[in-house]
Amino acid sequence: MIFVPLPFVVALLLVILLARMVRQDDWAEQEKRPFLLLIGAYSLQSILIGIRWGYDVTGILPAQPVGASMIAALAWVSFRNLATENRASLLRFWPHILPSVLIVALLIFWRDPVGPVVTATFLAYGAALLWLARDGPDALVSSRLDGALLSYRSLWITGVALIASATADIAISLDLEQSGGLHAGAIVALGNVITLLILGTAASIASGSQSIAATPSEPPAPPAPSQEDDTIASALENLMRSRELYRDPDLNLGRIARKMSLPARRVSMAVNRVHGVSVSQYVNDFRIRAACQALVSMDEPVTRLMFDCGFISKSNFNREFLRVTGTNPTEFRRRRRHKSEAVATQPTLFVSR
């Protein structure tokens, strides 16, 4: 019987995710490119782990820390690119190749610090990702509003996973010193495989290639709005109603801010303070109201109405519809039409004079 290491299976799953992303028409968009590279790096690293621990090929060991450092840097670049309004070249992130260059140099001249350097790299990038997440979903100004919340949660998952991986490395190092690390190899392999699968799925979700069901948490109470906040919120509402921007499936916070000639953060603050929601929820409220009107007045399939109102993911649409109306689209249509029919069939009472 042919032995297939578990990391190879994980690599295959990651390659399938990558293929799904490439098949999409918009895979070449600049915000997608880092995620394509990131999932490709996850796949390659999983293959290296499989070769090392599945077939005990020790000659491949030097490639693993280099790949690990590249993964941490690519994770940061991918999400940081979603938080950037301008569409400058990805070459602006060139300093993030330096950790990998440093590890290559250490492998050549002085191997002892390689492990601590990789651990420090994971800790640093994990902390940077969590710091990026501090501003909420609206920090990802280039993420489609239809999936901004999922991208934000993927950001948290990736940051926590990097820190957890670094913590595990520290724990394994202590185990090696105290007990010789009898099971350290198996722990490293299994932990890396699970981490890569989680990170690959998170990257796929963040890039917009798929979605998962989720219930948004309640945000903290925003500060009282200022007069400027009211003015910005009013201008945004007029823009939404007059031009129906919410119907654009590619709409993001950066695009809204450019149409208003304002910084994205300023628009986000105004919406949060005046309406108490994120920009993605604010826009989705318009989309759901339009969907409700269409469901009652038109006989088109729900999926088509979903696309017409600006959603690109059925799970996101159903989740947001439930949040706003308390029910699903099919049941909403049935109830409203039944109510309309009941009103129409009621007898009219005429009072004679």
Side-chain angles (χ1 to χ4, degrees):
M1 183 176 180
I2 299 176
F3 169 67
V4 179
L6 177 61
F8 286 0
V9 178
V10 172
L12 177 61
L13 295 175
L14 292 172
V15 169
I16 291 173
L17 284 177
L18 186 62
R20 289 180 59 187
M21 294 173 65
V22 171
R23 280 204 306 267
Q24 292 184 346
D25 293 336
D26 58 352
W27 71 269
E29 293 180 7
Q30 184 156 337
E31 63 267 23
K32 305 279 186 180
R33 296 172 191 168
F35 287 104
L36 290 172
L37 293 174
L38 181 59
I39 296 179
Y42 290 152
S43 304
L44 178 60
Q45 187 73 350
S46 189
I47 291 172
L48 293 177
I49 293 172
I51 294 174
R52 166 62 184 92
W53 298 106
Y55 299 107
D56 198 25
V57 179
T58 57
I60 208 169
L61 278 174
Q64 287 187 248
V66 178
S69 62
M70 289 178 61
I71 282 174
L74 274 173
W76 162 255
V77 169
S78 298
F79 285 100
R80 186 65 183 88
N81 195 47
L82 282 183
T84 303
E85 289 186 61
N86 59 60
R87 311 314 308 159
S89 170
L90 290 177
L91 292 176
R92 68 185 184 277
F93 293 114
W94 69 265
H96 295 281
I97 67 172
L98 295 180
S100 297
V101 173
L102 173 61
I103 290 173
V104 170
L106 290 174
L107 287 169
I108 296 173
F109 299 107
W110 186 27
R111 294 198 171 193
D112 290 346
V114 169
V117 169
V118 173
T119 301
T121 300
F122 270 58
L123 284 173
Y125 279 113
L129 287 170
L130 295 183
W131 180 256
L132 180 63
R134 76 192 188 281
D135 291 329
D138 288 343
L140 305 178
V141 296
S142 293
S143 176
R144 285 172 173 162
L145 294 178
D146 183 27
L149 179 61
L150 297 176
S151 296
Y152 175 67
R153 291 186 172 181
S154 297
L155 169 60
W156 269 101
I157 289 171
T158 304
V160 171
L162 290 179
I163 292 177
S165 181
T167 304
D169 287 343
I170 294 172
I172 289 171
S173 297
L174 294 175
D175 179 65
L176 286 170
E177 292 180 2
Q178 296 177 3
S179 62
L182 181 61
H183 303 291
I187 294 173
V188 170
L190 183 60
N192 283 336
V193 165
I194 294 174
T195 300
L196 288 171
L197 184 58
I198 293 173
L199 291 176
T201 304
S204 176
I205 293 169
S207 68
S209 65
Q210 64 179 57
S211 59
I212 57 176
T215 303
S217 57
E218 289 294 327
S226 64
Q227 184 175 357
E228 184 182 5
D229 292 328
D230 290 331
T231 301
I232 294 173
S234 178
L236 177 57
E237 183 159 354
N238 290 335
L239 191 63
M240 285 290 168
R241 293 186 183 279
S242 62
R243 301 180 60 178
E244 296 189 334
L245 292 183
Y246 56 87
R247 295 188 185 274
D248 179 5
D250 294 321
L251 188 65
N252 57 44
L253 175 56
R255 189 171 297 183
I256 292 173
R258 286 192 293 272
K259 288 184 179 295
M260 300 184 69
S261 300
L262 290 169
R265 183 172 175 79
R266 191 67 195 87
V267 176
S268 172
M269 289 173 57
V271 171
N272 182 253
R273 290 174 178 175
V274 173
H275 299 288
V277 296
S278 66
V279 174
S280 61
Q281 289 178 318
Y282 174 79
V283 172
N284 284 340
D285 284 345
F286 278 93
R287 291 170 170 169
I288 295 301
R289 285 198 291 269
C292 288
Q293 294 175 0
L295 284 168
V296 175
S297 62
M298 302 173 66
D299 293 324
E300 298 290 343
V302 174
T303 302
R304 181 169 180 177
L305 297 179
M306 174 193 82
F307 289 128
D308 289 343
C309 294
F311 286 96
I312 59 174
S313 165
K314 188 174 181 179
S315 62
N316 285 349
F317 173 64
N318 288 335
R319 186 188 67 247
E320 289 297 292
F321 200 96
L322 179 64
R323 176 180 67 84
V324 175
T325 67
T327 187
N328 62 65
T330 303
E331 181 65 17
F332 177 87
R333 170 182 269 176
R334 188 191 66 80
R335 289 180 181 178
R336 286 302 179 95
R337 290 191 171 181
H338 179 73
K339 183 178 180 181
S340 298
E341 291 173 358
V343 171
T345 56
Q346 285 182 354
T348 303
L349 299 179
F350 296 95
V351 180
S352 60
R353 296 175 179 270

